[in-house]
Amino acid sequence: MVRTSTLLTSDCSSSSVRHADRAPRLGADIEAERDRIVSAAWDALETGGWWGLKVESLLRRTGLSARSFYRNFASKNDLFVRLLLTESEQAAKRIGDLLDHEPDPEVRVRMWISEMISYQTPRQLEKTRMLLRLYREIEGQFPEDARTCLGLVLTPLVTALELGRESGVFAGAAPHVAAVAVHHLCSGALLDTSSRDSGELVVEVTMAFALRALTCPTDPA
């Protein structure tokens, strides 16, 4: 009886070890699946635009099953959220690191605008437009995630405006409100720009308009 109990205990222990060993592998497999789907989604977006991205086409690109997709994402828009969050985090870090080395608030604002809307090729312009469309696509269904994405990108600009307000350069600007307004201005400039337009000219015009508004004296009344 003791021997049987020992065998059962041993079998249970071995089973527990096997399950414990399997758990990290399963987690790694799911993460690998997610990375393949995200990578395929970026490729599909760059070649066909967000409106042409279909779950079925992603499955063909990755060789994964529908079960694999829905194990990682609840829907296509859920995937869009992941793409936009990742891009927003990367942009926020890149721009933040760049601006942190600049002491002049006005130069910081100029740098933020330039980083947001400058482009060298039509493909770069289209990718930036695609990200803006992704934001608008998820804004209604995932408002909190959309606000998170926007907040990440705006943080370096808000910091620059706060410094400018303290120094008197942007004395009349409410940093958060002004940052959203500048972002809308940049978004509009990008979406209305033709691929034939000079990227430098778009940046120059947008920058001039934004800085004129930010440095405009407030009405004493």
Side-chain angles (χ1 to χ4, degrees), residues 40-58:
W42 277 124
D43 290 342
L45 285 168
E46 289 184 3
T47 56
W50 66 267
W51 56 88
L53 190 151
K54 307 292 183 186
V55 172
E56 294 79 6
S57 67
L58 291 180

Side-chain angles (χ1 to χ4, degrees), residues 30-87:
I30 292 175
E31 185 174 351
E33 284 179 355
R34 188 180 302 120
D35 289 343
R36 286 170 65 185
I37 294 169
V38 168
S39 178
W42 277 124
D43 290 342
L45 285 168
E46 289 184 3
T47 56
W50 66 267
W51 56 88
L53 190 151
K54 307 292 183 186
V55 172
E56 294 79 6
S57 67
L58 291 180
L59 299 182
R60 286 194 297 271
R61 284 171 178 265
T62 59
L64 297 173
S65 65
R67 180 180 179 183
S68 296
F69 179 88
Y70 290 108
R71 179 163 52 203
N72 290 280
F73 303 101
S75 64
K76 185 172 74 171
N77 277 1
D78 188 32
L79 170 60
F80 286 168
V81 170
R82 170 63 182 266
L83 297 177
L84 199 57
L85 277 170
T86 300
E87 190 69 20

Side-chain angles (χ1 to χ4, degrees), residues 9 13 28 30 46 52-53 59 67 70 80 105 114 116-117 122 142 154 160 164 183 191 209:
T9 302
S13 298
I30 292 175
E46 289 184 3
L53 190 151
L59 299 182
R67 180 180 179 183
Y70 290 108
F80 286 168
S114 179
M116 286 297 295
I117 64 175
F142 303 96
L154 289 185
H183 181 268
L191 292 173
F209 191 89

Side-chain angles (χ1 to χ4, degrees), residues 98-205:
L98 184 65
L99 269 59
D100 281 346
H101 299 290
E102 175 52 56
D104 188 325
E106 183 173 329
V107 175
R108 281 193 179 206
V109 171
R110 289 178 178 275
M111 292 168 68
W112 187 91
I113 293 173
S114 179
E115 286 295 309
M116 286 297 295
I117 64 175
S118 61
Y119 60 91
Q120 302 299 321
T121 66
R123 183 172 181 177
Q124 290 176 333
L125 171 61
E126 188 51 42
K127 182 176 181 180
T128 306
R129 284 173 165 173
M130 178 187 65
L131 291 169
L132 290 172
R133 294 185 187 113
L134 275 179
Y135 175 80
R136 293 184 176 182
E137 178 71 11
I138 71 166
E139 192 174 15
Q141 187 175 354
F142 303 96
E144 291 186 11
D145 291 313
R147 282 194 293 270
T148 297
C149 292
L150 182 60
L152 286 166
V153 174
L154 289 185
T155 295
L157 178 59
V158 171
T159 301
L161 293 170
E162 287 173 342
L163 291 172
R165 186 170 185 175
E166 291 171 5
S167 66
V169 177
F170 306 127
H176 287 85
V177 175
V180 172
V182 172
H183 181 268
H184 285 326
L185 178 64
C186 292
S187 299
L190 280 169
L191 292 173
D192 291 340
T193 296
S194 165
S195 59
R196 296 186 299 273
D197 294 335
S198 163
E200 292 181 359
L201 179 61
V202 174
V203 171
E204 182 182 339
V205 171

